[in-house]
Amino acid sequence: MNKIVFFLMVLLITTGSCTNKFSIKDTELTNYDSFGDQISSEDIYFKNAIAEKYEDIKEGDTVNIAFTSTVNDVCKAKGCWMKVALDNDKETMVKFKNYGFFVPKDIENQTVIVQGKAFVSEMSVEEQQHFANDAGKSKAEIAAITTPKKTYSFIADGVLIKK
């Protein structure tokens, strides 16, 4: 009987410490620069959890969500989009609601919290080439883009960038 109680206590403690999200109330917002709307979501997911959510989204569906991760790339022309890391070498293309705000052009590898709508779409060759050009890719790299691809996309209402 004691072994069962001990096992259940260990299981409860382990399960409680492996959370996939945190509350915005737990975050010291003065350590972040804010862009767009204020982040108001109660739950902020970590990148591993948002990657799982994307797997369940079908083309045409959207999910309102907020998550934190690291910026992989950002538009060098204006800061009008960024690519944010998910798990297992996946990333999501983040654009900004109504083209209403931009982020700094030098935020690669910085931690962000984004809030908005996640969705899955197919990106045309032309759009991929446009983004590659914005990112400063070479003409050879741009020319090598020849097929549409399934993309994880995100329209952000608001973004927090860790200082």
Side-chain angles (χ1 to χ4, degrees), residues 29-100:
L29 296 181
T30 57
N31 294 332
Y32 290 83
D33 290 324
S34 181
F35 299 85
D37 294 343
Q38 181 178 354
I39 304 292
S40 59
S41 181
E42 285 295 317
D43 295 323
I44 310 297
Y45 289 84
F46 292 108
K47 68 182 180 180
N48 62 324
I50 190 70
E52 291 173 15
K53 297 252 184 225
Y54 268 112
E55 293 298 324
D56 295 334
I57 299 173
K58 296 188 178 16
E59 193 165 347
D61 292 344
T62 60
V63 175
N64 290 317
I65 199 161
F67 73 97
T68 184
S69 189
T70 306
V71 176
N72 285 346
D73 199 6
V74 66
C75 173
K76 301 297 185 232
K78 296 186 237 181
C80 58
W81 56 262
M82 61 184 172
K83 292 182 181 178
V84 178
L86 301 175
D87 67 348
N88 299 327
D89 297 326
K90 293 180 185 170
E91 60 188 10
T92 183
M93 169 66 89
V94 178
K95 297 179 188 174
F96 310 111
K97 184 179 177 182
N98 298 326
Y99 214 58

Side-chain angles (χ1 to χ4, degrees), residues 119-143:
F119 59 98
V120 175
S121 61
E122 185 174 280
M123 187 182 295
S124 70
V125 170
E126 294 78 20
E127 193 172 13
Q128 290 178 69
Q129 290 175 337
H130 171 81
F131 290 131
N133 186 51
D134 282 354
K137 302 291 183 188
S138 71
K139 288 184 181 191
E141 289 173 302
I142 294 169

